[in-house]
Amino acid sequence: MMRLPWFDYRAPRSIAEAAKILAGEGPQAMLIAGGTDLLPNMKRRHQTPKVLVSLKGIPELKKVSNGSGIVFGSGLTLSEILNIEKTPTALRQATAQIATAHLRNMGTLGGNLCLDTRCTYYNQNYEWRKAIDFCLKKDGATCWVATASKRCVAVSSTDTAPALIALNASVVLTGSSGEREIPVDALYRNDGIEYLSRRPDEILTAIKIPQKNFKSTYWKLRRRGSFDFPILGVAVALRFSSGNIIQDARVALGAVASRPFLVEKASEYLKGKALSDDVIAEACAMIASRAKPMDNTDMDLYWRKEVADDFAGYALRELRGDDMRAMRMRIARQELTG
Ligand SMILES: Cc1cc2nc3c(=O)[nH]c(=O)nc-3n(C[C@H](O)[C@H](O)[C@H](O)COP(=O)(O)OP(=O)(O)OC[C@H]3O[C@@H](n4cnc5c(N)ncnc54)[C@H](O)[C@@H]3O)c2cc1C
């Protein structure tokens, strides 16, 4: 049995109190929301904070507000996000495919956005990692995926981040010295260790989605259709004019680098066009060319790169109005294999 290391537990009642504790305790403290990622990581000794600052008892983090867009408190659980009527489609589809119902009842949207990066050589117990002299991400000096690499290439595995990037969402980060708002895209860095631009004393307090009549969708590749981390995520949000011409487009990829990111070239290319088969094929080639998966997660690396083109096509065809339900079922039934 893997046991948790000892830690002190703090339970603040407001964001201000949590920020004060975090600033006072310094790097030995970590935030905990649902704990569905952090506690298994602590059991495997990936993270060994001396102090856990719980966000569970902070009512401000549970708020939802509607105006010209929608604002979600970061402490809403994934199940709660699914129960909110105005949750945009791409976010709903991404959230519904995270883990299992039990984990979605505990896991939060904020925790999902701050999820640790993953790698075959890292997501192992302490003894396994020790047997290979650890790895660059934790306790070692070598990246076993790319041995010449000075940078850790662990992969971003959050499902909601690409969906939120496509939806042009931003996050609010609150620290003891104030608050700032940045696009979700800017929350991430392409570094498996320092994967967030969040400062250590900051709490991700809210997620803001400007609703601008976008039609959106999220397509996820994973080994098991029942539950599994993504090994490819394609999110697309499009705004159409009355003549079905694309006025605004945002395409984002997840799980193919250490950060989720906006595919700028394809997003720009789609603007002003109708979704003909030729336009879809051209956009898919642009999207797939940006997918650079590494050999550090499930399924064959080259196959995962190849299917990025297919998945982008499924997303665009669905937004064109094609009936893609049979393809979604095939993916859920694991009929695609690499
Ligand atoms: C079996 C299993 C399957 C899973 N499958 C998936 C999957 O398919 N897709 C997926 O995306 N995830 C998956 N997860 C991971 C996890 O369950 C979810 O990502 C969940 O949303 C994490 O949220 P949490 O509140 O539990 O985060 P926690 O575990 O509490 O925290 C995660 C990290 O975020 C930080 N953090 C939490 N809240 C904040 C905040 N408000 N501000 C700043 N930092 C914060 C913590 O310090 C920690 O570093 C899976 C987990 C398990 C155990």
Side-chain angles (χ1 to χ4, degrees):
M1 179 201 274
M2 286 192 288
R3 291 184 187 282
L4 281 170
W6 288 102
F7 56 86
D8 286 342
Y9 186 76
R10 308 289 300 271
R13 292 282 158 198
S14 68
I15 295 172
E17 191 189 347
K20 200 171 157 199
I21 298 173
L22 208 52
E25 296 288 351
Q28 64 169 353
M30 277 187 85
L31 294 168
I32 181 163
T36 60
D37 185 53
L38 182 56
L39 294 176
N41 276 2
M42 286 173 65
K43 288 183 176 178
R44 292 187 293 250
R45 304 304 188 261
H46 293 143
Q47 284 143 344
T48 49
K50 296 276 173 289
V51 182
L52 285 186
V53 183
S54 172
L55 300 174
K56 275 285 175 195
I58 304 182
E60 293 152 272
L61 296 178
K62 287 279 196 182
K63 283 190 184 153
V64 187
S65 49
N66 284 316
S68 55
I70 183 161
V71 183
F72 293 115
S74 66
L76 289 163
T77 65
L78 301 170
S79 299
E80 285 166 340
I81 296 290
L82 290 174
N83 285 331
I84 296 167
E85 206 185 320
K86 271 191 113 183
T87 298
T89 309
L91 179 61
R92 180 178 299 282
Q93 288 168 334
T95 306
Q97 293 180 75
I98 294 173
T100 62
H102 308 79
L103 289 158
R104 290 194 295 273
N105 287 341
M106 286 300 291
T108 63
L109 184 56
N112 188 254
L113 287 174
C114 297
L115 187 68
D116 195 10
T117 53
R118 296 179 63 80
C119 177
T120 318
Y121 296 92
Y122 172 71
N123 290 96
Q124 305 289 349
N125 65 33
Y126 184 84
E127 288 71 25
W128 192 103
R129 294 189 295 114
K130 189 175 176 200
I132 58 158
D133 202 14
F134 301 102
C135 76
L136 190 56
K137 184 158 162 73
K138 178 67 180 161
D139 300 326
T142 307
C143 171
W144 295 110
V145 183
T147 45
S149 178
K150 299 248 180 298
R151 181 179 67 83
C152 166
V153 297
V155 67
S156 168
S157 304
T158 148
D159 276 302
T160 62
L164 288 166
I165 291 171
L167 291 163
N168 204 11
S170 55
V171 288
V172 179
L173 297 163
T174 309
S176 53
S177 54
E179 134 176 333
R180 63 188 175 117
E181 186 176 326
I182 57 169
V184 172
D185 197 26
L187 178 65
Y188 298 99
R189 305 171 54 180
N190 201 24
D191 181 320
I193 300 172
E194 299 292 338
Y195 59 95
L196 292 178
S197 65
R198 164 191 166 255
R199 292 194 280 264
D201 70 326
E202 286 179 324
I203 302 162
L204 195 164
T205 46
I207 298 94
K208 296 185 174 179
I209 307 174
Q211 294 212 327
K212 288 188 184 151
N213 303 323
F214 273 105
K215 280 174 80 177
S216 65
T217 185
Y218 179 71
W219 284 73
K220 171 175 179 171
L221 175 67
R222 54 183 164 177
R223 181 177 288 274
R224 292 170 294 188
S226 53
F227 80 103
D228 241 327
F229 282 93
I231 46 178
L232 167 69
V234 181
V236 184
L238 302 176
R239 188 158 53 88
F240 291 94
S241 70
S242 47
N244 273 340
I245 300 298
I246 298 169
Q247 289 182 315
D248 205 353
R250 290 178 67 86
V251 181
L253 285 176
V256 288
S258 296
R259 68 179 175 110
F261 58 89
L262 183 71
V263 186
E264 277 148 7
K265 196 171 162 194
S267 304
E268 281 307 312
Y269 168 78
L270 286 167
K271 287 180 196 167
K273 300 200 170 61
L275 280 177
S276 66
D277 287 347
D278 288 348
V279 166
I280 290 177
E282 187 72 28
C284 289
M286 289 177 189
I287 296 164
S289 73
R290 292 293 318 280
K292 300 202 174 10
M294 302 292 290
D295 203 4
N296 58 355
T297 179
D298 206 358
M299 290 188 160
D300 178 77
L301 164 68
Y302 299 101
W303 182 78
R304 274 164 50 218
K305 184 163 171 58
E306 263 174 50
V307 289
D309 189 308
D310 299 340
F311 271 57
Y314 305 151
L316 288 169
R317 278 159 47 203
E318 188 177 55
L319 293 181
R320 177 169 74 177
D322 295 14
D323 185 351
M324 300 303 292
R325 285 175 297 181
M327 182 49 78
R328 281 213 185 260
M329 286 306 289
R330 279 192 65 199
I331 294 168
R333 286 199 213 104
Q334 297 146 242
E335 286 173 20
L336 307 185
T337 46

